[in-house]
């Protein structure tokens, strides 16, 4: 009984170590492939230049510009709606000055359509 259990534990331990060795071998092969092909260094993963904050002239850069412009447009529309809801008369009741409407940016158009 104890001999069978001991053999079973030995077999499980060997399987565990074989799995660990296979993972280490896989990681070593991956590192070797990266070294052979020359992994890109200092490559930015964002579609804009992080130093100048200029959008890149790629499809991803144009899509990011569109999403940012859409966010700005929606924020301006919300601000205008809030102004209308809060001041239906169109003027300040204390000073009597007319409220200026929020300047809406042009609605952005989707790139590559």
């Amino acid at each position: 009984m104890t001999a069978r259990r001991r053999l079973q534990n030995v077999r499980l331990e060997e399987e565990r170590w074989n799995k660990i060795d296979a993972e280490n071998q896989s990681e070593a092969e991956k590192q070797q492939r990266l070294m052979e092909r020359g992994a890109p260094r200092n490559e930015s993963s964002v579609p804009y230049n992080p130093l100048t904050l200029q959008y890149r002239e790629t499809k991803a850069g144009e899509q990011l510009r569109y999403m940012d412009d859409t966010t700005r447009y929606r924020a301006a529309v919300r601000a205008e709606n809030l102004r209308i809801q809060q001041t239906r008369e169109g003027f300040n009741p204390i000073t009597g000055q007319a409220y200026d409407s929020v300047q809406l940016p042009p609605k952005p158009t989707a790139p590559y359509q």
Side-chain angles (χ1 to χ4, degrees):
M1 177 110 166
T2 58
R4 187 170 23 128
R5 179 169 274 204
R6 187 167 30 94
L7 287 175
Q8 184 182 9
N9 286 341
V10 167
R11 189 174 55 245
L12 289 174
E13 191 67 18
E14 285 178 358
E15 289 175 7
R16 186 176 76 88
W17 278 106
N18 288 338
K19 184 178 176 184
I20 290 172
D21 288 341
E23 288 174 358
N24 287 340
Q25 180 66 27
S26 172
E27 184 65 28
E29 290 172 0
K30 178 182 174 185
Q31 291 297 326
Q32 185 64 30
R33 281 193 312 270
L34 286 174
M35 289 180 68
E36 287 173 358
R37 98 178 132 123
R41 304 271 185 219
N42 296 329
E43 192 70 26
S44 178
S45 63
V46 292
Y48 62 89
N49 185 331
L51 298 177
T52 63
L53 301 179
Q54 299 295 316
Y55 296 103
R56 297 202 190 280
E57 297 300 325
T58 61
K59 186 175 181 178
E62 291 299 318
Q63 190 164 7
L64 179 64
R65 180 191 319 257
Y66 171 71
M67 289 175 18
D68 289 347
D69 289 345
T70 302
T71 301
R72 287 185 202 99
Y73 176 77
R74 291 176 58 203
V77 168
R78 279 194 305 273
E80 179 65 13
N81 287 340
L82 281 173
R83 186 195 66 78
I84 290 170
Q85 293 293 327
Q86 291 177 352
T87 60
R88 294 203 183 270
E89 299 83 24
F91 63 90
N92 186 334
I94 297 173
T95 62
Q97 289 180 321
Y99 283 120
D100 294 331
S101 65
V102 175
Q103 197 68 359
L104 290 179
K107 188 171 185 174
T109 57
Y112 302 109
Q113 284 190 353

